[in-house]
Amino acid sequence: MKEWLEQPGFLSPYGTMGADLSFALAVGFTALFLVGWRKAKQGKGQAHHSVTLWAMLAMVAYFVAYYVNRGLGALAFEGEEGFGGPPELYDKLFSPLLTFHILVVTIGLVMAVYMIVLGFRASVRRGAVRTLTPGTPKGSGLAFSGWILLASIVAPLLLFGLRIMFTTPTVGKFIGWVSTGLLVGIGVLVAEGVARRLYPDGERRHRAIGTFTMILYVIALLTSTLTWVMLYVIWKPTIG
């Protein structure tokens, strides 16, 4: 799989299959999120729920699968030697932009997990129609925290178990997977704590935080496009 991801790409003159596929899927996922957002604005709750839920699950699944195989080996994480443009442009534009992009993507992944959980807690399904309900979201804060922390430990352990089927296990890899899961879990709990204070009502919370998340994904796509163009379209990478 890793060898296939490193083959020449299909969109950019200097890109790899992994880089071009990642960019194409980023465009596709963002488009689906915006479609789901539009459905919500039109009052089509079940359509919004279905489109957004499956798009978010697919995004998280692809992100995990990609980095399981690439091991965070994309050029974006390989430093200045992977950037083929002028060194001064790297320092003044590319590096700050990349740092900002990674931050936005990290927050976006945390928000994807949080919005999936919140969507179920703040809505009810009556027949074929799902609608948001006013009031406190279902489930106590203690139960929510417990389940999130449990999932943030169990999920990385399962993924680590799948990973060692294809590579030699190490203590570093184990710590990496578990710490990543815990960071995501803590991020979700922080998002819940802030959102609960700002919007105690579940319906209003879901709409407000959902809008914030959609804006975040658009920003992520814009920054991803700029970094992808600079890495694989304008200049040839200095490492292959």
Side-chain angles (χ1 to χ4, degrees):
M1 184 64 174
K2 183 177 180 180
E3 290 74 18
W4 181 80
L5 290 172
E6 293 174 347
Q7 291 181 2
F10 57 94
L11 287 177
S12 55
Y14 307 119
T16 62
M17 186 66 69
D20 287 357
L21 181 61
S22 292
F23 176 70
L25 287 176
V27 174
F29 289 143
T30 305
L32 287 174
F33 293 148
L34 292 175
V35 169
W37 193 21
R38 179 63 177 169
K39 294 296 183 182
K41 295 292 185 181
Q42 294 173 340
K44 300 177 180 178
Q46 184 58 37
H48 159 76
H49 177 82
S50 299
V51 171
T52 308
L53 173 63
W54 289 111
M56 284 188 172
L57 289 175
M59 179 187 70
V60 173
Y62 173 75
F63 180 86
V64 172
Y66 180 76
Y67 285 107
V68 161
N69 286 281
R70 286 285 296 236
L72 298 181
L75 280 179
F77 291 89
E78 289 172 356
E80 184 175 355
E81 62 179 319
F83 179 69
E88 60 272 15
L89 188 64
Y90 175 89
D91 294 327
K92 295 181 179 179
L93 177 60
F94 182 78
S95 182
L97 178 65
L98 178 60
T99 301
F100 178 69
H101 170 70
I102 294 172
L103 177 64
V104 170
V105 169
T106 301
I107 297 174
L109 286 171
V110 171
M111 295 310 299
V113 176
Y114 178 63
M115 289 304 297
I116 289 173
V117 178
L118 180 61
F120 283 102
R121 295 175 64 216
S123 67
V124 294
R125 181 170 179 174
R126 300 182 178 92
V129 180
R130 179 176 291 275
T131 57
L132 291 172
T133 56
T136 304
K138 291 175 286 188
S140 66
L142 182 61
F144 175 83
S145 300
W147 281 110
I148 290 297
L149 289 176
L150 179 63
S152 68
I153 296 174
V154 173
L157 290 177
L158 291 176
L159 291 171
F160 178 75
L162 291 174
R163 176 60 172 158
I164 63 176
M165 294 173 61
F166 305 98
T167 186
T168 303
T170 65
V171 175
K173 292 177 182 178
F174 176 79
I175 294 174
W177 278 102
V178 174
S179 60
T180 300
L182 287 173
L183 286 174
V184 172
I186 292 171
V188 171
L189 293 180
V190 171
E192 165 71 3
V194 173
R196 189 192 304 130
R197 284 183 174 274
L198 294 175
Y199 306 103
D201 181 80
E203 180 179 6
R204 188 182 177 195
R205 186 191 309 175
H206 188 76
R207 295 184 190 280
I209 304 301
T211 299
F212 166 76
T213 304
M214 291 302 107
I215 294 173
L216 203 65
Y217 289 157
V218 171
I219 294 174
L221 179 61
L222 292 176
T223 54
S224 175
T225 300
L226 290 173
T227 54
W228 176 78
V229 167
M230 285 190 286
L231 276 173
Y232 304 111
V233 178
I234 300 178
W235 297 287
K236 184 177 181 179
T238 58
I239 57 176

